[in-house]
Amino acid sequence: MWAPDLNRTYYTNGHPQEVVDSYGYTFHYISHLVSRLVSWLFGENFRALGSTSVMTQNALIAILGVLGCWAVGLVCREVLQSRRAELVGILGSFFLPLWLGHSWMNQKDVPFAVGFACATAVATLAVHLPLGEKATLTQKRELAISGFLAISLTFGTRPGLSILILPLLGFAGWYVYLRAREMLKPLSTAVFGATALVLITNPASIPNPIGWAWNGVVIGRNFTGYAGDVLFDGKLISSKKLGWWFLFKSLISSMPLVAILGMAAGAVFMILFAIRGRLWRIIPVAYHAIFVAVVVLGLSSNNYNAGRQYIFIVLGWQMVAILGLWSLISMSNRNLRSVFQISVLILAGFLVVDNVSIFPYQYVYRNEIARRADNFAESVEFDYWGMAGRDLVSAIPDEPNLVIYFGSGDSKYGGSYTPQSGQPFVPSGSTILEDRDSWKSNDGKLAVDYVPWLHYWPPNMDRLFREPLANCKIVDSAYAVIPPVRVLLGSLYKCR
């Protein structure tokens, strides 16, 4: 995220100040404060971003990932009126590879997705409140917690896009007023508390909170972000020309077959609910999974990394999938029920195997159909986050005076790294082509010991950038195993 660091310098990554101010930093500030405090308790420098700080931040993101699963479970429990459905919703979301993978490290998109799922949960909880009965303490807590998380994690991360949760919050408030007015107090307390937290952690919002949020809408619509090419279906396409179909196909190919089966059944389930006069029970889910998806994917003008910015839509689809799978099994006759149970168990088994095989690269997952396409491993981008760099670095021997090229992105360190220097290490991307002259020795070879190379684009696409490595030897590689395919994510080159 773009925000002032503890040294009071503003990190903007070269983006205009208005773009920086259009984002929210609530979770960013809280996670940094907590991680630095934990580091300090372990005797490390409070201001240094060490391994303890990084692990703590990852743990906080993982906790948010579990909260996202909890929100899905709440929605499934209320719509289906079943505690077992809640457990299925939680476990089903936990084993969703795209969600599980991002929930270990994505500090911008996961908080927003969790907040949106909580907004859907608070609306669903409200619409199922018993009319004229006294609310239980559990109901009050669930409503307040989901309402607090909905506002603080959405407006506190992406205020412009967060405007889409306002209908859900309004829907919730209206049903609380109609069915259980005593719940207005915990809900309003959560709303005011979350709003105060967002304002405190985002000083740019204080002069004009409404204008700040609307500014996020305008800038988010016009901001091009990355304006280069992306690899999709084996073709290089301008990120500014990716239409809704590319985004939809990218997201749906990241949904396992068991979830797609559930989504199809869930669509039928919601139609039947509407026919039977119970549409009000599924309005929040339909809004999240259908209306929001159509609006966001239809209006998006820019995209990169296979739609990581849109994973909040995936949780809405997962809600529909769990509702559909539950209805397939519970509402069918005995013979069909057995067929559906066996089919779901088989597909769920494949999903568990996939999660184990691909670990720790779940976020590059593609489903059972997508990965069987011709030349799959060379057709799309995979390791946007550079997660394979950790495996490659671990293969570098712990020897003194090694020089390791990591790219010229951080000129402060001149593109070199030694284990003894304490300098930050970032695996190389595509910059060695630009730096080759400065790194050549008298014999024309690279004057570095190791180059960890990440294949953001597949090997056949980035071979031009690797031209200076022609005389180097590959000594280790990192793969994501998505049966029956092994996808090469990166290689470690030894150059002298």
Side-chain angles (χ1 to χ4, degrees):
M1 293 292 287
W2 307 317
D5 63 20
L6 293 174
N7 295 317
R8 298 182 180 179
T9 58
Y10 224 94
Y11 173 66
T12 65
N13 198 29
H15 293 293
Q17 188 66 48
E18 62 177 6
V19 173
V20 176
D21 289 339
S22 70
Y23 276 84
Y25 302 101
T26 301
F27 180 78
H28 175 84
Y29 280 127
I30 293 174
S31 67
H32 271 275
L33 178 60
V34 172
S35 63
R36 301 303 173 92
L37 286 174
V38 171
S39 297
W40 176 73
L41 290 174
F42 278 87
E44 298 180 10
N45 186 343
F46 178 81
R47 290 181 174 274
L49 185 62
S51 59
T52 302
S53 281
V54 173
M55 289 300 296
T56 302
Q57 289 190 26
N58 287 349
L60 293 173
I61 286 291
I63 291 172
L64 280 188
V66 173
L67 286 175
C69 300
W70 169 74
V72 173
L74 279 185
V75 171
C76 296
R77 184 195 73 195
E78 292 300 304
V79 174
L80 296 168
Q81 294 294 291
S82 168
R83 286 282 182 182
R84 287 188 298 169
E86 179 181 17
L87 179 61
V88 172
I90 292 172
L91 291 177
S93 302
F94 181 84
F95 283 101
L96 198 63
L98 185 68
W99 182 248
L100 183 60
H102 280 276
S103 293
W104 282 110
M105 45 73 183
N106 189 336
Q107 296 197 37
K108 184 170 74 172
D109 303 305
V110 165
F112 182 81
V114 174
F116 213 107
C118 286
T120 304
V122 74
T124 306
L125 288 167
V127 82
H128 287 87
L129 287 172
L131 182 62
E133 297 182 19
K134 186 176 180 62
T136 65
L137 181 60
T138 299
Q139 287 175 319
K140 292 179 179 179
R141 287 175 175 172
E142 288 178 342
L143 196 72
I145 292 172
S146 55
F148 180 85
L149 292 174
I151 293 176
S152 59
L153 292 177
T154 53
F155 281 95
T157 306
R158 299 168 73 178
L161 199 55
S162 300
I163 290 177
L164 287 171
I165 76 163
L166 295 181
L168 291 170
L169 297 180
F171 188 82
W174 175 247
Y175 267 91
V176 168
Y177 177 79
L178 290 179
R179 305 180 75 87
R181 295 187 184 182
E182 63 183 291
M183 299 284 278
L184 286 173
K185 183 177 181 180
L187 180 59
S188 59
T189 300
V191 169
F192 287 125
T195 302
L197 179 62
V198 171
L199 293 175
I200 291 171
T201 51
N202 296 278
S205 69
I206 294 176
N208 184 2
I210 296 177
W212 173 69
W214 183 249
N215 184 55
V217 175
V218 175
I219 290 179
R221 182 72 184 94
N222 298 328
F223 179 55
T224 57
Y226 172 70
D229 290 335
V230 294
L231 182 65
F232 199 93
D233 281 349
K235 303 174 184 178
L236 289 177
I237 305 172
S238 170
S239 64
K240 295 185 292 184
K241 295 181 180 179
L242 278 173
W244 70 270
W245 169 245
F246 291 100
L247 302 180
F248 173 78
K249 186 177 180 181
S250 175
L251 285 178
I252 204 70
S253 68
S254 298
M255 298 291 288
L257 279 187
V258 65
I260 294 176
L261 172 65
M263 289 167 62
V268 177
F269 171 81
M270 291 192 293
I271 292 172
L272 292 176
F273 251 52
I275 292 174
R276 294 169 182 172
R278 291 183 284 180
L279 177 64
W280 52 274
R281 291 176 60 180
I282 57 169
I283 284 179
V285 178
Y287 174 83
H288 185 168
I290 301 173
F291 180 81
V292 170
V294 170
V295 170
V296 172
L297 297 182
L299 294 179
S300 295
S301 59
N302 181 266
N303 177 63
Y304 53 97
N305 182 231
R308 65 169 177 81
Q309 302 98 325
Y310 310 107
I311 59 172
F312 68 95
I313 295 173
V314 167
L315 288 186
W317 289 353
Q318 182 69 359
M319 295 172 189
V320 175
I322 299 300
L323 297 180
L325 292 174
W326 190 269
S327 65
L328 272 181
I329 294 173
S330 63
M331 298 181 183
S332 305
N333 61 46
R334 179 178 297 180
N335 293 331
L336 283 178
R337 185 179 304 169
S338 298
V339 172
F340 289 140
Q341 284 177 335
I342 293 172
S343 300
V344 170
L345 285 174
I346 291 174
L347 291 174
F350 283 142
L351 181 58
V352 172
V353 171
D354 283 344
N355 271 290
V356 173
S357 300
I358 200 174
F359 177 84
Y361 304 116
Q362 280 96 334
Y363 79 95
V364 306
Y365 171 88
R366 296 295 190 279
N367 66 35
E368 296 89 334
I369 295 177
R371 64 189 128 166
R372 292 183 182 277
D374 292 340
N375 207 26
F376 162 72
E378 302 282 349
S379 63
V380 293
E381 298 169 356
F382 286 102
D383 197 11
Y384 169 85
W385 297 100
M387 293 286 286
R390 180 168 181 169
D391 283 346
L392 300 178
V393 171
S394 65
I396 299 174
D398 186 14
E399 300 175 0
N401 303 319
L402 288 180
V403 176
I404 305 165
Y405 178 86
F406 67 87
S408 60
D410 194 343
S411 58
K412 179 179 179 182
Y413 299 107
S416 65
Y417 164 89
T418 60
Q420 294 75 27
S421 68
Q423 297 171 355
F425 173 75
V426 181
S428 55
S430 61
T431 52
I432 198 168
L433 183 67
E434 304 165 10
D435 297 342
R436 57 183 171 182
D437 291 336
S438 61
W439 284 99
K440 282 185 178 179
S441 58
N442 293 332
D443 59 3
K445 296 182 179 179
L446 288 179
V448 294
D449 295 290
Y450 290 95
V451 177
W453 185 268
L454 301 178
H455 295 291
Y456 175 52
W457 282 353
N460 70 329
M461 301 291 295
D462 70 0
R463 58 182 180 272
L464 170 64
F465 301 109
R466 290 181 286 120
E467 183 266 333
L469 301 176
N471 295 320
C472 301
K473 178 182 178 182
I474 296 177
V475 293
D476 196 27
S477 294
Y479 292 91
V481 180
I482 318 176
V485 181
R486 281 206 320 167
V487 177
L488 180 63
L489 301 181
S491 298
L492 178 64
Y493 287 82
K494 181 174 175 57
C495 298
R496 67 177 183 180

